[in-house]
Amino acid sequence: MTTIKDVAQLAGVSVATVSRVINDRGYVHADTRKKVEDAVKALNFSPNEVARSLYKRKSKLIGLLLPDITNPYFPQLARGVEDRMQEQEQDYRLIFGNSDEDERKEQDYIQTFIQNNVVGVISSTNYPHSSIYEKLKIPVVFLDRTSLDRPSVYADGREGGRLAAREIIKRGSRRITVMQGPSQIRPAQDRFEGAIEIIRDAGLDYRVIQTTSFSINEASVWAKELFRKYADTDGVIASNDIAAMAVLHEASRIGRKVPDDVQVIGFDDIPMSSLLSPALSTIRQPAYEMGREAAGLLIQLVEQAAIENKNIQLPVSFIERGTTRKVRSDG
Amino acid sequence: MTTIKDVAQLAGVSVATVSRVINDRGYVHADTRKKVEDAVKALNFSPNEVARSLYKRKSKLIGLLLPDITNPYFPQLARGVEDRMQEQEQDYRLIFGNSDEDERKEQDYIQTFIQNNVVGVISSTNYPHSSIYEKLKIPVVFLDRTSLDRPSVYADGREGGRLAAREIIKRGSRRITVMQGPSQIRPAQDRFEGAIEIIRDAGLDYRVIQTTSFSINEASVWAKELFRKYADTDGVIASNDIAAMAVLHEASRIGRKVPDDVQVIGFDDIPMSSLLSPALSTIRQPAYEMGREAAGLLIQLVEQAAIENKNIQLPVSFIERGTTRKVRSDG
DNA sequence: TTGTAAGCGTTATCAG
DNA sequence: CTGATAACGCTTACAA
C-alpha cells in the first residue's frame, strides 16, 4: 500500500504538505503543489479512508437498512439513495443491510454502522420508535415510513388508499375486497384506512383479507383465500403489486376475467407492473424519487444545513392500465 | 463515544488488558476479566472498527458490485452473499454498489472498496479482465460471470441454453426465435450458443433477436420487434425472465395464445415468474445459492484456506410451468 | 498476568 | 509557505 509518506518522500516534502495538497486546504506554493501532484500520480496514490475516518471521527459511508431487497419495491429506493449520494461533491458510499423486519437484525446493523463511523443512516424500519434510533447520535432518515418527530420521507399512503377506492368505485366495483397489509407497517395501514374511508363514504360494503407479510411466496396464499372467502367480489384493492400479481394469477386460474368480472388495483408500481397481461393498474409510489429525497435530506442533516422541512411527503398517483375498466366518459 | 480507554479506567486496568479480553487473546486473570467485562457492559462499549481496521490493515467489510439491483435477478444474488456472510464467526458486512455495467463506475467502486480496507470483493462485472481486477491485491470472486483463471461462481449457461432448446423442441416448436442477450455479457452468450447448438442439431431453422441490455424498459421494444420481424414464430427462448415477460405481454396484446400459438421459455426464474398468467416456464439459475457460494468462496480465500475448487459451477434446471405445452407421454 | 509504548495512515495545530 | 508532531482508537511486541 502506498501512503502519504511515500508521496512525501518522492516529492521531497513533508506529509503535512502532501495532506494540504490532496485536501486543497491551506497555503502551498504552486511549484510544491506541482511536485506533490506529480508524485501522487506517479505512485497512483489514493488516501486511506480508514485513517481519515479515524482521525475525523466520520467516514464517507452512510448506512442503508431495508427490509428485503428481494421485494422489487425496495431496490428502487436503494438506487435512488445511491444515485443521489453519488452526485455529492464528495460522494458517499453505502453500507447496506436487509433487516427482514427483524428488530434484532436491525440493531446489529445499526451497531456496525456506528462502529464504522457512518455519518448517517437511512432506514425503512418497522420500529421507528425503538430505542435503537432514540439513542443514535448521528442523523437518521426514515424512508417509506412516517414519523412526525423524526426526519422522514414517505408517500401519502392514506391518499393512495382513497385514490384506489375512488377509482375502483368509479369504474363500477361494488363488492370490494381490500387486502390489509401487515399491521406493523404503517404505510400499509394508511392505505387500508384510506380505502375503507372512501368505500364507507360511498355507502358500500367491503371485505378484508388480512395479510401478515409482503412475501412473494405467501402472496399466493392470500390470493387463494381471497377468492375462496369472497367468491363474489368484483374489485380488489391489493396491498401491493406483488399481492396484486398473485390475485391476477389466481383469478386467471379460476377463470375469473380481469377486469370484466373483477377489477384489480395494486400499490407501488414496481417496474414489472406494466409487463403483466393485462398490465396492472396501480397506485404509484415514486420509489426512486423517495430514495433520492431521503438521501438529499440526510446530506442536509449531516452537513447541518438549516432544514426547512424534515418530513417530506411525496404524492401518489393512479396509473391506469389494464386491470381496471375504462371509465365511461360523462354525459 | 466511549473508547477502550474509558473501559480501562472504569475497570482499573490498562487498555492492553481491555483489548485482551474483548479479543479473547492472551493471558488475563479471571478476576480481571470479570472487572473488564462489567465495565464493558456498564459503558455499553463496542470497539471502533475503524481503529481496528487501521491497525490491522483489514476491515470486516467486503465489497459487492452488481450491475443493477433494480433487475430482480440481482437482489437474490445479493441476499445470498449477505446471508452467508452473516453466518461467519465474525461476520462480514457489505459495502455495496451498482455498476450499471459502466467500467468507470466499477473502477470508482473498487477504489473506494480498497480505500476502506475491504478484505475482498464479489463482482458481477462485464470486465473481468480489466486491469482494475488484475491489479487488485485482495481476493476477488466473480459472481454470475465465468472466469477460468480467477475464482468465480456461475451457472451453466450453455447447458441452460441447450435445455431451453431441447424442451421447447420436444414440445413442438419448429420456428424458434432466440433472443440473444447483450453481447458483452458472457453468460448471455453461453445461453445463446447452447440454444443454437441444439436447434441446429435438430435440423431446425431459427431466428435471432439481438438485445443490447437487460433493461426492463427496453424489453418491450425487443418483444415488439420480435413479433414484427418473425410473425410466424411458434417458440421463443428469451434472454431472461424480464424479456420473457415482455414477450408474453406483447403476445397477449397482439392476440397470440401462449402456449398454444407460441411457447415461451425464460431464463433465471426470478421470484415473480410463478405469479404470471400463465406462469412462466423458465430455466432456473439458483441465484440465491450462487450468492451464498460466492460468499463462501471469498471467505475461504480471505482466510487463505486451501481451496479445492476456485470455479464453482451450479446447475440450471428447467422449471415447467404454463408457457410451454405439456409434453406428450411416450408410446 | 499486566502495563508501556509504538505504530496503523491521516489531519491539524503550532512553530518557524 | 512548510515541517514537526500530537492525536484519532485500537492491537501487539516487549518489559516488568
Side-chain angles (χ1 to χ4, degrees):
Chain A
M1 174 185 257
T2 128
T3 78
I4 204 175
K5 243 179 176 166
D6 304 315
V7 178
Q9 193 154 25
L10 180 59
V13 299
S14 76
V15 294
T17 302
V18 176
S19 179
R20 286 193 194 96
V21 353
I22 65 181
N23 291 295
D24 202 21
R25 185 189 320 289
Y27 299 104
V28 38
H29 192 90
D31 296 353
T32 319
R33 153 161 292 128
K34 178 81 169 64
K35 279 192 295 180
V36 172
E37 282 166 347
D38 288 350
V40 164
K41 256 187 212 117
L43 298 176
N44 193 236
F45 167 79
S46 90
N48 182 322
E49 284 299 334
V50 176
R52 279 187 168 168
S53 171
L54 178 60
Y55 184 85
K56 300 207 179 170
R57 285 125 160 235
K58 51 165 63 180
S59 67
K60 278 162 53 180
L61 264 18
I62 74 126
L64 176 62
L65 202 46
L66 257 23
D68 179 15
I69 44 165
T70 263
N71 176 329
Y73 174 65
F74 295 109
Q76 299 188 80
L77 293 177
R79 290 257 20 194
V81 172
E82 183 190 6
D83 292 357
R84 179 68 181 75
M85 287 296 178
Q86 223 86 286
E87 291 166 14
Q88 280 314 103
E89 175 71 32
Q90 51 134 34
D91 57 356
Y92 295 96
R93 304 290 173 167
L94 268 42
I95 139 164
F96 171 79
N98 292 101
S99 69
D100 288 324
E101 299 177 1
D102 174 341
E103 192 166 3
R104 171 59 193 278
K105 271 194 172 183
E106 266 191 54
Q107 197 149 351
D108 284 359
Y109 267 113
I110 299 287
Q111 179 83 340
T112 29
F113 289 170
I114 295 171
Q115 291 181 306
N116 285 283
N117 284 172
V118 302
V119 290
V121 353
I122 295 182
S123 171
S124 294
T125 181
N126 291 343
Y127 317 96
H129 297 102
S130 158
S131 64
I132 322 172
Y133 295 105
E134 308 262 293
K135 287 191 228 145
L136 260 194
K137 298 225 168 46
I138 51 177
V140 187
V141 170
F142 291 117
L143 176 54
D144 194 38
R145 297 293 183 259
T146 329
S147 175
L148 304 174
D149 44 335
R150 304 290 231 108
S152 60
V153 175
Y154 50 92
D156 191 346
R158 190 168 196 103
E159 179 57 20
R162 290 198 199 99
L163 206 48
R166 264 188 231 114
E167 298 294 343
I168 209 167
I169 291 172
K170 180 159 67 177
R171 286 170 174 71
S173 288
R174 290 298 170 265
R175 294 179 303 280
I176 300 168
T177 304
V178 184
M179 294 178 80
Q180 180 175 14
S183 60
Q184 69 279 21
I185 299 181
R186 258 307 281 288
Q189 290 320 299
D190 290 346
R191 298 172 200 175
F192 177 73
E193 288 164 16
I196 297 303
E197 176 191 324
I198 295 295
I199 299 177
R200 275 219 189 91
D201 286 0
L204 259 34
D205 203 21
Y206 62 88
R207 310 98 209 281
V208 176
I209 289 288
Q210 167 82 56
T211 71
T212 57
S213 81
F214 277 147
S215 129
I216 297 187
N217 294 329
E218 297 184 67
S220 307
V221 179
W222 319 128
K224 283 200 169 66
E225 179 185 341
L226 188 155
F227 286 111
R228 184 160 23 79
K229 281 171 96 166
Y230 309 121
D232 67 334
T233 199
D234 65 353
V236 176
I237 295 176
S239 45
N240 67 1
D241 284 353
I242 297 291
M245 281 181 72
V247 169
L248 293 183
H249 184 79
E250 181 64 11
S252 157
R253 203 182 63 84
I254 64 177
R256 306 219 40 200
K257 295 272 175 271
V258 176
D260 300 333
D261 300 344
V262 54
Q263 302 191 94
V264 178
I265 293 186
F267 217 104
D268 286 348
D269 194 29
I270 60 177
M272 301 103 242
S273 299
S274 61
L275 290 184
L276 299 181
S277 313
L280 183 65
S281 295
T282 191
I283 304 298
R284 170 178 174 75
Q285 300 200 74
Y288 182 79
E289 256 315 314
M290 288 165 64
R292 291 189 61 90
E293 289 291 342
L297 183 54
L298 185 63
I299 289 167
Q300 288 190 296
L301 256 13
V302 164
E303 295 176 350
Q304 323 232 37
I307 316 274
E308 63 296 355
N309 185 4
K310 288 190 207 272
N311 293 283
I312 303 178
Q313 188 182 61
L314 271 62
V316 295
S317 52
F318 175 59
I319 305 291
E320 178 171 20
R321 288 197 277 246
T323 57
T324 45
R325 295 171 214 135
K326 294 291 164 224
V327 68
R328 285 193 311 272
S329 53
D330 298 334
Chain B
M1 175 186 257
T2 129
T3 77
I4 205 176
K5 242 178 175 165
D6 305 315
V7 178
Q9 193 154 26
L10 180 60
V13 299
S14 77
V15 293
T17 302
V18 176
S19 178
R20 288 194 192 95
V21 353
I22 64 181
N23 291 295
D24 202 22
R25 185 191 317 289
Y27 299 103
V28 39
H29 192 90
D31 297 353
T32 318
R33 152 161 293 127
K34 177 84 169 63
K35 279 192 296 181
V36 172
E37 283 166 347
D38 289 350
V40 165
K41 256 188 214 113
L43 298 176
N44 191 236
F45 168 78
S46 89
N48 181 323
E49 283 299 334
V50 175
R52 279 187 167 167
S53 171
L54 180 60
Y55 183 85
K56 301 214 186 163
R57 287 120 165 261
K58 51 166 62 180
S59 67
K60 278 163 51 180
L61 262 18
I62 72 126
L64 177 61
L65 201 46
L66 258 24
D68 179 15
I69 44 165
T70 263
N71 176 329
Y73 173 66
F74 295 109
Q76 299 188 82
L77 294 178
R79 290 258 17 195
V81 172
E82 182 189 7
D83 291 358
R84 178 68 180 76
M85 287 297 178
Q86 222 87 286
E87 290 167 13
Q88 281 313 103
E89 175 69 34
Q90 52 135 32
D91 57 355
Y92 295 96
R93 303 291 174 167
L94 267 41
I95 140 163
F96 171 79
N98 291 100
S99 70
D100 289 323
E101 300 178 1
D102 174 341
E103 192 167 2
R104 171 58 193 278
K105 270 194 172 184
E106 265 191 55
Q107 196 150 353
D108 284 359
Y109 266 114
I110 299 287
Q111 179 83 339
T112 29
F113 289 169
I114 295 171
Q115 291 181 306
N116 285 285
N117 283 172
V118 303
V119 290
V121 355
I122 296 183
S123 171
S124 295
T125 181
N126 291 344
Y127 317 96
H129 297 102
S130 157
S131 64
I132 321 172
Y133 295 106
E134 307 261 294
K135 289 192 228 144
L136 261 193
K137 297 225 170 45
I138 50 177
V140 187
V141 171
F142 291 118
L143 176 54
D144 195 37
R145 298 293 183 260
T146 330
S147 175
L148 304 174
D149 45 333
R150 305 290 230 108
S152 60
V153 175
Y154 50 92
D156 190 346
R158 190 168 195 103
E159 179 57 21
R162 291 199 199 100
L163 205 48
R166 266 189 229 114
E167 298 293 344
I168 209 167
I169 291 173
K170 180 158 70 177
R171 287 169 173 72
S173 289
R174 289 298 171 265
R175 295 179 302 280
I176 301 168
T177 302
V178 184
M179 294 179 80
Q180 180 175 15
S183 60
Q184 69 280 21
I185 299 180
R186 259 306 281 288
Q189 290 319 300
D190 291 347
R191 297 172 200 175
F192 177 72
E193 287 164 16
I196 297 303
E197 176 191 324
I198 296 296
I199 299 177
R200 275 220 189 92
D201 286 1
L204 258 36
D205 202 22
Y206 62 87
R207 309 99 208 281
V208 176
I209 289 288
Q210 168 82 56
T211 71
T212 56
S213 81
F214 277 147
S215 130
I216 298 188
N217 294 328
E218 297 185 66
S220 308
V221 179
W222 320 128
K224 283 201 168 66
E225 178 185 341
L226 188 155
F227 285 111
R228 184 159 23 79
K229 281 172 95 166
Y230 308 120
D232 67 335
T233 199
D234 65 353
V236 175
I237 295 177
S239 45
N240 68 359
D241 283 354
I242 297 291
M245 283 182 71
V247 169
L248 292 183
H249 184 79
E250 180 63 10
S252 157
R253 202 182 64 84
I254 64 177
R256 308 220 38 200
K257 295 272 176 270
V258 176
D260 300 333
D261 301 343
V262 54
Q263 302 191 92
V264 178
I265 293 187
F267 216 104
D268 287 348
D269 194 28
I270 60 177
M272 302 103 240
S273 299
S274 61
L275 290 184
L276 299 181
S277 313
L280 183 65
S281 295
T282 193
I283 304 297
R284 172 178 172 76
Q285 300 199 75
Y288 182 78
E289 257 313 316
M290 288 166 62
R292 292 187 60 90
E293 289 291 343
L297 183 53
L298 185 63
I299 290 167
Q300 288 191 296
L301 256 13
V302 165
E303 295 175 351
Q304 323 231 37
I307 316 274
E308 62 296 355
N309 186 4
K310 288 189 206 271
N311 293 284
I312 303 178
Q313 187 183 60
L314 271 62
V316 296
S317 52
F318 176 59
I319 306 291
E320 179 172 18
R321 289 197 277 246
T323 57
T324 45
R325 296 171 213 134
K326 294 290 165 226
V327 68
R328 286 193 309 273
S329 51
D330 298 334

